[in-house]
Amino acid sequence: MNDANGTAAGGAATGSDTSGGGASGGGTAGGSTALAALNREHGAAHGYSPRRTLPISVEIVRQFRRRRTLVMFGLLLALPWVLVIAFKVGGGWGRPGGSLRISDLAAEGGLNFSAFALSVSASFLLVVAVALFCGDTVASEADWSSLRYLLAAPIPRDRLLRQKLIVALGYSAAAVICLPLMALLAGTLAFGWNDVRVPGTGEVIPALDVLPRFGIVIGYALVSQLVVAATAFLLSVSTDSPLGAVGGAVGLVIVSTILQAVEALGALREFLPTFWNTAWLDALAPQPDFGGMVKGVAVSVTYAAILIAFAFRRFRTKDVVS
């Protein structure tokens, strides 16, 4: 590569001497010679810029064309319609008395149905989707033995990791957002646009009053998945097995959910990454309470920041042989 750099730099210098002439040509030639010397010293090709390597648009297209991306989004977009068919086929819904569950109110309007779809999918399906997008991104390159070629391009390690993390989080956000929005569309078409009944008490809130809060609910669902995304990403840079990275992140959620049921842990359960996942239900109450959501955001962001920092530190010193 050094010989090639020297030849390219020498050609640039010759061209400058021919076209420039005089003092100006000499100055250009001197600058080209200095640039060539600098390139040879750092082993970089003439015109190479780390900021131009692996554009985000290229990574977005690469990830979108993968079969797992299309299959996952197809499943997320189809699930609300499957639920609509289930409610239609099932006939009656709701219970005549007692405390109303969110499932009892799902068929009373688009917003109720969307809240139900989010509640039944957030604990597993969305977890799998986020873990898949973030856990597969680097480990799959190692599994295909293409990671070392990306680094030899050369793409700086921090930039490679940053670009892949941005794209993975983007697809994860799209997955978390598209399901409740599709459920809102499907529920409205199937059951109408009605006011919202609150689970438990059955109180009625105007739909237009709930709609802004529902945007906050979707945002909170997205933030609550950051722990899953960061865990999957850390495992993705630590292993050559995409399945292991995805499974490890899903396993974390399962273990956290089990520990959450151990009341003997007391207040320590509040530090579990899944403890505040259902706090968004308080935002749909007649008198919304955002205290639990604030605590959930703090826990999720803290865990995610620490895990992502570990991922970058691990990848900087990792011996990439695949």
Side-chain angles (χ1 to χ4, degrees):
M1 183 179 287
N2 290 340
D3 293 338
N5 293 339
T7 302
T14 303
S16 300
D17 289 339
T18 302
S19 60
S24 176
T28 305
S32 298
T33 304
L35 178 59
L38 184 61
N39 286 338
R40 287 194 299 269
E41 179 182 351
H42 293 282
H46 176 59
Y48 166 76
S49 175
R51 292 177 295 179
R52 296 179 181 178
T53 57
L54 193 60
I56 287 182
S57 58
V58 173
E59 185 65 16
I60 290 175
V61 173
R62 289 180 68 235
Q63 296 300 325
F64 180 77
R65 289 178 175 176
R66 296 192 57 188
R67 184 177 301 174
R68 52 91 162 154
T69 303
L70 300 177
V71 170
M72 181 54 67
F73 275 104
L75 177 61
L76 292 172
L77 294 175
L79 177 63
W81 300 101
V82 174
L83 293 175
V84 166
I85 294 174
F87 276 102
K88 290 290 187 180
V89 171
W93 44 74
R95 293 186 298 177
S99 179
L100 293 174
R101 301 167 301 180
I102 191 170
S103 58
D104 299 322
L105 306 173
E108 295 197 358
L111 283 170
N112 276 107
F113 181 79
S114 185
F116 167 74
L118 182 61
S119 68
V120 297
S121 60
S123 60
F124 186 74
L125 181 59
L126 291 181
V127 170
V128 173
V130 172
L132 180 65
F133 290 131
C134 293
D136 187 62
T137 180
V138 178
S140 61
E141 299 284 0
D143 186 45
W144 298 333
S145 298
S146 59
L147 184 57
R148 57 182 174 180
Y149 296 108
L150 287 174
L151 296 176
I155 303 174
R157 291 196 177 201
D158 279 2
R159 179 174 177 82
L160 173 67
L161 212 57
R162 184 175 68 250
Q163 301 293 81
K164 286 189 170 294
L165 177 61
I166 291 173
V167 173
L169 290 178
Y171 276 112
S172 298
V176 174
I177 292 172
C178 76
L179 188 142
L181 291 184
M182 180 57 73
L184 181 61
L185 174 62
T188 301
L189 293 177
F191 309 115
W193 179 260
N194 303 317
D195 292 338
V196 176
R197 290 184 67 188
V198 180
T201 63
E203 296 183 59
V204 179
I205 308 175
L208 292 180
D209 292 344
V210 176
L211 193 59
R213 290 189 238 165
F214 195 70
I216 297 176
V217 167
I218 296 176
Y220 179 76
L222 178 61
V223 173
S224 65
Q225 297 294 336
L226 282 178
V227 178
V228 178
T231 303
F233 196 69
L234 174 60
L235 295 175
S236 184
V237 304
S238 304
T239 179
D240 295 347
S241 172
L243 183 60
V246 175
V250 175
L252 170 70
V253 174
I254 294 174
V255 172
S256 178
T257 304
I258 293 174
L259 292 177
Q260 183 177 321
V262 181
E263 297 183 0
L265 292 174
L268 292 177
R269 295 184 301 166
E270 297 185 6
F271 296 97
L272 294 172
T274 59
F275 184 81
W276 301 103
N277 280 2
T278 58
W280 57 269
L281 290 171
D282 296 334
L284 302 180
Q287 298 298 325
D289 180 11
F290 299 101
M293 295 176 65
V294 171
K295 294 178 181 179
V297 168
V299 171
S300 295
V301 171
T302 300
Y303 277 127
I306 295 173
L307 292 171
I308 290 175
F310 273 115
F312 274 85
R313 185 177 184 275
R314 173 74 179 90
F315 195 64
R316 286 179 188 137
T317 58
K318 181 180 180 180
D319 185 15
V320 177
V321 294
S322 56

